Every structure is written in C-alpha cells, then in structure tokens.
Amino acid sequence: MNNALTNNKSILDWVNEKIDLVKPDKVVWIDGSEEQLEALRAEAVATGEMIKLNEEKLPGCYLHRTAINDVARVEQRTLICTPTKEQAGPTNNWMEPGEAYEMLYNIARDSYKGRTMYVIPYSMGPIGSMFSKAGIELTDSIYVVLNMVIMTRVGKEVLDVLGDSNDWVRGLHCKCDIEEENRYICQFPQDNTIISVNSGYGGNVLLGKKCFALRIASYQGKLEGWMAEHMLILGLENPEGEVKYIAAAFPSACGKTNLAMLIPPEIYRNKGYKVWCVGDDIAWMRKGPDGRLWAVNPENGFFGVAPGTNVKSNPNALESTKKNTIFTNVVHNLDDNTVWWEGLDKNPPMNAVNWKGEPWDCTDGSKGAHPNSRFTSPAINCPCISSEFESAQGVPISAIVFGGRRAKTAPLVYQSRDWVNGVFVGSIMSSETTAAASGAVGVLRRDPMAMRPFCGYHMGDYFKHWIEMGKELGDKAPKIFNVNWFRLDDEGNFIWPGFGDNMRVLLWILDRCEGKANANETAIGYIPGIEDIDVEGIDISEENLKDILSVDAEIWREEAKGITEFYEMFGDHLPAELANELEQLKARLG
Ligand code: OXD
Ligand code: MN
C-alpha cells in the first residue's frame, strides 16, 4: 500500500483486507497534521457536508446535519458478538460472530465505491500512558475524521508508539446509504473488532467512544485486571490547595456533564474552593504502584448534548463550544451564521434553519434543534479542565459515586457499608424516565453502574470483576456512595437545589473518605444527619432536609422486591456476594 504511515504487518494486512472488501476509489491515512485537516474541512464545506460558521464569533466552528432517520444511538441494533449468547449475557443483544461478520460484510461490500477511505490511527488515553490503547478506524466520512480528531488523539505518533504490536482495536465504519433497517453497531470483544454500518450519527460511528472505550474496553479490563466505566472524573480543590478526585456514574439525563464541570456556590468560591474537570463520560481505572485506584479519561474532547446547555446550567460547557467545535443537528442562525438550541437563551433566531435543514419559524411550536443535538469540543477549551487531564499516570480516586433520578426512594446521599455493599449499590442503580424523553413518565429502568448499554460481556460477570477489584485494592479501595439530586415534594417540585450546590454533598463525601464527617447508620447504608450537610445560603426547610436524608422502610421493602426480580435475570452468573447483600438488606428492613 503506498502512503501507509506504518510498517506494522497486522495493521497493513487488515487495512488491505478491508480495502478489498469495500473497494474505495482512494485511501488516505490521517497523519493528524493541521494542513491535512484544513484540507478536509475545506472539502467537507465544498460538498455541503459541513457549514463553516461565523469565524469572528465562532472561530474554527462548523455545523453538520445528520440524516433525519439517524439522530441517536440505537440500542436495539447494537450487538455484542461473542461465541455464545451466554457470554454476552441477558442485558445485551447478541449475534454469533460468524453470522454477524457475514451479514456485515454483505452490507459493507463495495460500499466505498466512488468514495475515499480514511484510515484514522488513534489513541484512547494520553499517547504512551500505560492506561492507553490504540485503535484504527476506517471510515468513508470526513465528519467522522474531524470528530475523531477532537474526541481522541489522532495521528502518526500513535502508530510510532504502537510499533509492531498487534494490540490495537479494529474499527470499520461504512455509511452505506444510512438505511435504518440495515443499521448495525457490532462489537466483537474476542477479536478487538468493531463494525458499524448504515449510520453517520456520532454515538454509532465515533468508534473510540462507546464501542471501544466502554464495550470492548470493559472486556479487556476484565481480562487484564482494570476497569472501563461510564463515569465522569472531577477534582475538588479545597482552600489549602489539596485536590481530591471523585469518579461518578449516572444514566443519561441525570446531569453528568454539568456535575463534571460544576461551579461551586459563591460562598465556597470566596473561600477558595474549585472544581476541575478531568472527564465527563468515561473513566479507565487501574490499581497504581501505591495500591490506590488511579483513573484517566481516555477521551480528548466532549460530545455533549446541546439543548439545555446555557450560562446558568453549565457555563464551562458553553464556553468550551466557542471555538474549534463541530455542532450537529442544532439550529442555524442565518442572520449572523451562528448556532442556537432550545434552552440556550430566550432569543431564538428569527431567520433560521432547523436541524432538518428546513426554514424554521420559532413561533410555530416546533423544536429547532434536535433534542439529542450535540457539540463536539476539544477538552482543552474547557475553562475548568484539570491540570492532570494529560497526566500519564492519571489521578487517584478517593470516592466512587453512583446516582440516578428517583422521585422518592433514594436519599440525597448515602455511603455503602463497604466495597462489596458498594458494588451492590451500583448494581441496583436505576432511574425514572422523565417527560423529556418519549414514552411513559416515571417508568423505572435498572441501569447497573450506568453500564447497561455499554458492558461488552455478561453483566453478572462484570459484577464479579468489580468484587475482584475490591479484593485487589483492599483497604486502599475508594469509598462508594450513592446520590440522588432529584427527590420531589408532594407538589412535584425538586427539593434539593442541585447544580453548583451539589458540591455540598461532594464535600461530605470527601470528608467521609477521610473519616472526618458524621453519619447515621440505616438499613441501606450511612446517611448524614441534617447538621452534617452545609446548607448555609440555600433555601431548604429543616423538614425537607430531614425528608431527603431519611429512608422509608416501606418504600425500600418494595424496592427490595424489584431488585429480587431484576437479579433473577442473571441466573447463576449473579455473584453469591450480591445475593447475600440483598438478603441482608431485606433482613435489616424487617
Ligand atoms: C452519551 C450517552 O452520549 O451516554 O454519552 O449516551
Ligand atoms: Mn455517556
């Protein structure tokens, strides 16, 4: 192959095999140089794939619209292709690998005719870090190349560090004709391989993110003794300048990006508290030389939901989108060639085009931006990006936090009794659906560790792996907590103010990790007393605070029934330790 950027035989053989399959007119290796990227941007603008936005107001920014049938991840069409169905487990869709390859190759065959194949060498994690892993994505989309350049570390250096190694993840993406009924996102964990066909939407085609960094990596972590988790990582700095790190998992629509970039309440800012963002979506964690759990964010950018992002909800995220950002499926403001989305401000543009590319009248009641419209922004744009973001050894994790959206059940915060009990708390994570999503409101979805759509193997074995990691870490293991910002009063109003004030809860959590804060033992774990959470400057009655810091045994007895039912699906893959935790919880509830 001419112009290849490597002599690595395993890479060249695989790329050649795929060239024979999809038959591109041309093959371009992405070296990561600004020159090459600038030429690709110009080409995408010339073909209409992207629109160049106002260079003064949004320097280096572009707008892209996906096909209207291709706007989100498709869980029903996401398959884990393991030799047996049992290996994929009850929470995944499964297909036998031989059958899946045949089906996918039939769809992909000749699909690059008349198109260019881009070969993207990328690293998840800082290049050269012991946490990091390399991947090659083949794609026929410039949009994918330019997004991958923001979301991962791309270029020749990745290949140089990889050398002759065969330890890299194969990714083939084919846009084909964006047919919904032939759309598949397939992971082959045993082969380190991902194949994605008939989509152009980020979550399905930026193969480094969910496909590699969670589905494939969770399986690699199980084999190699580390963890790939759907977690943000933040650092909380106290007035003495000490920074402690928290990793936190939440299902979608629970404010993960907002928490990762939290701005402390004014009284805390004045005292010198700061929050630093290491990552907003994915954490790779392993035991460090000092025996503690260390984490890196394997990504290099944010693929954030635009609607609802504004100067109040998340000024840091908004600031991150002000340059070198790709917007997908938002409103195009034709007056000044900028972008807009619902919840940005109260001034929708009058002369505008909606996410579908149609003239948009903001007074007709229709949405201008798709509810899942996105910004792809470099992490370094974020004003609160951590100084440790690029650190090869990562950051030491003091606390792991799980959370969900529960109107009544879960208290504002509780600490698990120990690591195994904490794994139990993560395994029963759940969230109630909101009016924002289609479907019934208040329906409970169990989403263990927020990994249900992202675990590349049997979820019962994944629980086992968590328990094993706890044994490895021993008394240096992080403490495990659960939070719920979403308790409602009888009128349906949120009781806890949320946003920046969530820091008050994080401070209790970190104090607990150091044995400094008080807590009361309850049936579900340790809960702060009302005097243990600082509420100075916020409007919450003592009665309400008491309410969200209490456990209703009756509600939890119902909850225990739901957990019992949920656990049944794991059969004999459910670790005995977790079955025992459930029995103990029932006994404590009476
Ligand atoms: C995401 C998701 O896009 O979890 O991060 O769906
Ligand atoms: Mn996510």
Side-chain angles (χ1 to χ4, degrees):
M1 193 185 325
N2 46 35
N3 73 11
L5 294 180
T6 178
N7 296 320
N8 181 312
K9 189 167 178 323
S10 63
I11 296 179
L12 294 179
D13 286 352
W14 180 78
V15 174
N16 279 325
E17 196 186 293
K18 295 301 168 280
I19 290 173
D20 284 346
L21 175 73
V22 300
K23 303 266 184 350
D25 282 13
K26 211 167 105 187
V27 178
V28 172
W29 287 68
I30 301 300
D31 60 18
S33 69
E34 199 40 46
E35 255 172 288
Q36 186 186 42
L37 297 176
E38 208 37 53
L40 288 174
R41 291 179 194 117
E43 187 179 335
V45 169
T47 61
E49 191 176 349
M50 299 203 307
I51 295 166
K52 169 95 180 92
L53 296 167
N54 186 321
E55 182 61 23
E56 232 126 78
K57 294 189 173 171
L58 294 169
C61 292
Y62 294 83
L63 169 64
H64 170 81
R65 297 188 195 104
T66 64
I68 58 173
N69 72 359
D70 187 30
V71 292
R73 286 189 291 105
V74 280
E75 285 181 22
Q76 333 70 264
R77 300 193 151 270
T78 299
L79 310 177
I80 300 296
C81 306
T82 43
T84 67
K85 186 169 180 5
E86 187 171 1
Q87 286 166 302
T91 54
N92 283 312
N93 298 308
W94 172 81
M95 192 180 279
E96 193 276 319
E99 192 187 329
Y101 280 124
E102 190 183 332
M103 174 186 79
L104 294 164
Y105 289 165
N106 284 337
I107 294 171
R109 186 164 295 116
D110 298 342
S111 71
Y112 278 40
K113 275 195 174 155
R115 303 182 187 184
T116 300
M117 171 185 280
Y118 300 98
V119 183
I120 315 171
Y122 65 97
S123 171
M124 299 312 292
I127 296 173
S129 158
M130 65 142 358
F131 281 87
S132 300
K133 297 243 175 214
I136 306 279
E137 176 164 354
L138 307 180
T139 181
D140 50 351
S141 159
I142 296 181
Y143 169 78
V144 167
V145 174
L146 296 175
N147 273 270
M148 284 295 283
V149 165
I150 298 172
M151 293 305 296
T152 74
R153 281 108 172 152
V154 164
K156 180 157 184 335
E157 207 188 336
V158 177
L159 296 169
D160 295 343
V161 170
L162 190 63
D164 290 335
S165 169
N166 188 25
D167 182 14
W168 52 278
V169 169
R170 289 108 175 106
L172 171 64
H173 165 237
C174 308
K175 277 191 298 194
C176 304
D177 298 317
I178 315 286
E179 287 173 341
E180 256 170 301
E181 57 289 353
N182 275 320
R183 182 169 303 150
Y184 293 99
I185 321 302
C186 296
Q187 283 67 205
F188 301 80
Q190 278 76 6
D191 302 344
N192 274 344
T193 295
I194 304 157
I195 301 180
S196 166
V197 293
N198 273 301
S199 177
Y201 168 76
N204 299 328
V205 299
L206 306 179
L207 302 184
K209 194 175 179 63
K210 305 298 189 183
C211 304
F212 177 172
L214 289 176
R215 298 194 190 101
I216 297 284
S218 60
Y219 180 71
Q220 294 177 328
K222 161 97 174 158
L223 295 182
E224 297 166 9
W226 53 281
M227 309 165 91
E229 299 297 331
H230 191 199
M231 289 180 176
L232 64 90
I233 309 167
L234 67 80
L236 206 162
E237 180 175 336
N238 69 15
E240 288 73 52
E242 293 162 345
V243 187
K244 295 266 154 48
Y245 294 91
I246 295 175
F250 296 83
S252 60
C254 290
K256 206 148 134 242
T257 303
N258 292 350
L259 183 64
M261 300 178 189
L262 176 150
I263 297 198
E266 195 180 343
I267 53 167
Y268 284 94
R269 284 203 305 277
N270 292 343
K271 287 182 197 158
Y273 284 95
K274 294 183 182 122
V275 169
W276 302 106
C277 173
V278 182
D280 79 326
D281 197 38
I282 299 175
W284 283 2
M285 306 193 285
R286 57 169 72 226
K287 184 173 160 180
D290 64 357
R292 289 188 292 171
L293 186 66
W294 290 69
V296 299
N297 168 13
E299 300 192 280
N300 201 29
F302 308 117
F303 184 62
V305 176
T309 304
N310 59 51
V311 276
K312 264 193 88 182
S313 68
N314 195 337
N316 286 319
L318 191 62
E319 191 56 34
S320 307
T321 68
K322 292 290 164 67
K323 59 180 182 200
N324 303 330
T325 289
I326 300 173
F327 297 94
T328 303
N329 292 343
V330 297
V331 175
H332 190 194
N333 179 347
L334 296 179
D335 281 334
D336 64 354
N337 192 24
T338 57
V339 290
W340 190 85
W341 51 78
E342 277 72 21
L344 173 64
D345 55 38
K346 296 210 161 64
N347 311 308
M350 289 302 153
N351 180 18
V353 171
N354 69 13
W355 69 273
K356 296 178 183 167
E358 305 158 341
W360 179 58
D361 174 0
C362 64
T363 61
D364 74 4
S366 69
K367 288 219 192 306
H370 188 275
N372 191 37
S373 55
R374 298 277 175 153
F375 54 84
T376 317
S377 299
I380 49 163
N381 282 4
C382 180
C384 66
I385 196 72
S386 164
S387 60
E388 302 309 300
F389 170 69
E390 294 280 355
S391 161
Q393 83 256 25
V395 295
I397 299 298
S398 298
I400 288 175
V401 176
F402 296 122
R405 181 184 285 272
R406 299 299 299 267
K408 294 286 173 206
T409 316
L412 177 64
V413 57
Y414 66 102
Q415 181 184 358
S416 67
R417 311 170 84 83
D418 54 27
W419 179 273
V420 172
N421 180 241
V423 177
F424 172 73
V425 169
S427 77
I428 64 169
M429 258 175 76
S430 54
S431 222
E432 285 147 13
T433 51
T434 66
S438 58
V441 174
V443 175
L444 194 69
R445 171 174 151 109
R446 297 253 167 227
D447 187 355
M449 284 82 169
M451 281 289 278
R452 190 170 181 144
F454 307 120
C455 184
Y457 62 104
H458 197 298
M459 185 70 80
D461 298 342
Y462 166 81
F463 295 155
K464 235 171 257 164
H465 181 49
W466 264 82
I467 293 170
E468 288 305 317
M469 287 298 300
K471 286 185 194 149
E472 269 284 299
L473 294 161
D475 60 5
K476 296 216 168 109
K479 304 280 185 276
I480 302 181
F481 298 79
N482 191 85
V483 299
N484 175 23
W485 318 130
F486 302 99
R487 281 283 288 261
L488 299 181
D489 64 17
D490 292 338
E491 277 79 55
N493 307 307
F494 289 116
I495 298 174
W496 181 251
F499 296 101
D501 288 310
N502 292 337
M503 197 184 97
R504 299 165 188 270
V505 175
L506 300 184
L507 286 174
W508 178 80
I509 286 175
L510 288 177
D511 280 348
R512 282 297 289 175
C513 293
E514 308 209 337
K516 289 201 289 213
N518 182 53
N520 303 317
E521 189 172 349
T522 72
I524 63 169
Y526 300 100
I527 299 189
I530 58 166
E531 63 294 338
D532 300 317
I533 301 280
D534 178 13
V535 290
E536 191 194 334
I538 55 175
D539 186 23
I540 184 166
S541 69
E542 194 176 313
E543 191 189 339
N544 273 340
L545 189 58
K546 246 188 207 149
D547 184 37
I548 61 174
L549 292 176
S550 63
V551 175
D552 183 323
E554 193 44 50
I555 292 181
W556 273 89
R557 278 192 285 270
E558 274 308 302
E559 183 73 3
K561 279 188 208 156
I563 299 166
T564 308
E565 252 170 56
F566 175 63
Y567 268 6
E568 272 164 18
M569 79 158 83
F570 302 111
D572 58 10
H573 286 260
L574 183 76
E577 291 91 335
L578 295 191
N580 179 41
E581 285 295 327
L582 177 57
E583 284 320 305
Q584 284 188 34
L585 173 67
K586 285 180 181 166
R588 284 194 299 268
L589 289 166

